[in-house]
Amino acid sequence: MTKKIKRKYPSILQTAEWLEESETFLIAKMPCNDWIQVSSYPHQPVEYTQRKAKTGAHWKSLAAAQKPIQTYLSHVTAALLKDDLYKLDGHARTVHWETGFLKKPNQVFVNIYIVDSMREMIDLFNAIHGGRRFGYENIIAACDELDINLKSQRFKHGFFLDALNIALRGDPRSQQDKRTHRSEIDLSKSLHVFKEELQLLDQLDPPKEVFLTGIVAAGLIMLAIKKDYLEFFRCLANKEGEIKDGKSNPVEALLNAIDKYRLLNQNSAVRQVDLCKRTIRALLAWEAGPDVSGYWMKTILRTTDHMPYIREIKRVKGIVKDRDL
């Protein structure tokens, strides 16, 4: 079938045979090897695909299945967003086709939906998979609409909802007093408030094992007050702590605290508030400098109340009266 609608298609579709075409929907037949190269749904963690692809009884039965099921497996779904094509299903099948566990078909039939935004693609993905949208997906959609392009592994998947809540209200949503905060934070507004701070942290390409929720929350709070604090978080991202005469400087002391949280598996939302407070304490000691008492630490890093700093950023950003923040 000849393409009748003038539309720019990604190069991956150049070898496709068009079976149906409309303004919102396409059906194409394409080589399976080309389908394998199609980008995965951008917000499905690789670890999830790997779990789904474990060769248990389900996949073993499919591998031994006859023609009707093999035909079913060759039908897949994708979304076309601007000039990019993304898988909406078939991720685990792709893994098994690549490894040879499943017999790879010569061609696959692809139902392609035309979407206009990341939010539409997320809604379509969840409609196909019968699930509700998760908080991180709402963050991704809102970032797309606000033109917040986060590239680091720590931020690009949207896993910082608790950090936004701590930075604005002092606690993750699960721990907030519902009498005071009846509604959840407005994600679009909160991302707009912290747009610059998020981009500054993202530019550091911070390691996920260091920039836990409490660290990110403290980063949002303190960078909103003073952008020069970015150097502290750069040192933290690069693990540039110092030890002198058996004592740790603030960066090293915070890195030690982070290690203890991770070793003890203390990654709960409540613990992250405590880590946020310790991060602020470390930053203030770092700012005071090595000649000030308390810069070099031999004991565990203490905490500092984070609420006065949250009140300050709300004043600076003019959001004191915003009840949805």
Side-chain angles (χ1 to χ4, degrees), residues 143 148-158 160 194-208 211 216 219-220 223 230 233-234 237:
C143 282
I148 301 175
N149 186 18
L150 303 175
K151 298 179 180 179
S152 70
Q153 288 296 319
R154 176 59 184 90
F155 289 104
K156 70 178 183 180
H157 295 302
F160 52 89
F194 287 121
K195 179 177 181 177
E196 185 177 1
E197 292 78 15
L198 281 167
Q199 290 173 328
L200 287 172
L201 290 172
D202 183 64
Q203 289 168 12
L204 299 175
D205 193 19
K208 294 186 290 185
F211 276 65
V216 174
L220 297 177
L223 287 174
L230 185 63
F233 291 100
R234 186 199 65 78

Side-chain angles (χ1 to χ4, degrees), residues 9 49 53 101 106 129 155 296 305-306:
Y9 292 98
T49 299
F101 182 78
N106 293 325
H129 293 277
F155 289 104
W296 298 101
D305 185 9
H306 61 325

